[in-house]
Amino acid sequence: MGTVVDDAASVEFHAFFERHYAELSRLAHLLTGESDAADDLAADALLALWHRWDRVRAADHPAAYARGVVANLARTRIRSAVRERRRVALFWSQREEKVENPDVAGVVDVQEALRRLPFRKRACVVLRHAFDLSEKDTALALGVSVGTVKSQTSKGMAELQRLLGPQNAPLRVHAAMARTGEAGGRDR
């Protein structure tokens, strides 16, 4: 039989879950590029939060903490996938087929370009442009300094501009990420 405190924490966590699950899943999708894994990563992050709920609910920015957990889980997943690809590459020769003038939507182009960015640059660009987080909130979510966020976002956008072409790359990135779902918004 649960106590009143346990029941209150459970209700509070359930409300947090309902409010932030979709946002965390979208963040995971944009960071990993894997829609199938996004829900799993969001669920894993929320499970980790539940295990530390007393600490999380006492934090100044629980949603920022949750984003950080998702970012760390996504980073781990990406690193694991990279290691697996390297192992597979030892056994299978991979050759890239290039298609002239591919007919793909801008969203696919942006997602592919995002996948080519190193994790921290990708995370900064996604949190700043898709979630419209401030530099401070992005720094909180990633556990880095505001200066690092500024630098990595700038470098990430420059790399995306190089990959996507100079014409309106920032607008294409923002528009393409907005099409993957509603923007998360800032913590208020």
Side-chain angles (χ1 to χ4, degrees):
M1 183 184 319
T3 65
V4 174
V5 173
D6 290 339
D7 292 339
S10 179
V11 168
E12 187 179 352
F13 178 79
H14 182 73
F16 181 87
F17 179 97
E18 292 295 323
R19 195 168 46 253
H20 295 287
Y21 177 78
E23 171 191 347
L24 296 174
S25 180
R26 182 168 167 255
L27 173 61
H29 177 254
L30 288 169
L31 291 176
T32 63
E34 300 175 18
S35 58
D36 295 342
D39 288 335
D40 292 342
L41 287 174
D44 289 347
L46 285 161
L47 179 61
L49 292 174
W50 172 245
H51 289 298
R52 295 183 214 100
W53 187 242
D54 288 340
R55 222 177 336 165
V56 173
R57 70 196 251 203
D60 290 336
H61 303 284
Y65 185 84
R67 288 184 203 109
V69 172
V70 169
N72 286 333
L73 289 172
R75 179 184 302 121
T76 300
R77 182 175 184 83
I78 290 165
R79 286 179 177 163
S80 177
V82 167
R83 283 191 302 272
E84 181 64 24
R85 282 187 208 117
R86 286 180 183 152
R87 282 192 289 261
V88 169
L90 292 173
F91 298 104
W92 299 95
S93 67
Q94 296 179 350
R95 66 175 218 257
E96 292 186 30
E97 295 181 26
K98 296 196 177 201
V99 178
E100 293 291 323
N101 300 321
D103 185 24
V104 293
V107 173
V108 174
D109 291 341
V110 170
Q111 288 176 341
E112 180 60 33
L114 278 171
R115 277 189 217 98
R116 294 177 67 186
L117 292 179
F119 180 81
R120 186 170 287 169
K121 288 179 187 172
R122 180 182 334 144
C124 286
V125 168
V126 166
L127 289 170
R128 293 283 293 130
H129 291 281
F131 284 81
D132 198 29
L133 292 183
S134 68
E135 291 165 343
K136 180 182 175 187
D137 289 342
T138 301
L140 271 170
L142 297 176
V144 298
S145 71
V146 171
T148 298
V149 169
K150 288 178 182 181
S151 169
Q152 294 296 296
T153 302
S154 176
K155 290 175 182 177
M157 289 303 292
E159 183 69 11
L160 286 175
Q161 190 168 5
R162 187 186 67 72
L163 293 168
L164 296 170
Q167 190 174 7
N168 298 326
L171 295 174
R172 286 178 63 195
V173 169
H174 193 74
M177 285 193 278
R179 282 187 217 117
T180 63
E182 293 299 317
R186 287 187 171 87
D187 293 334
R188 288 175 171 69

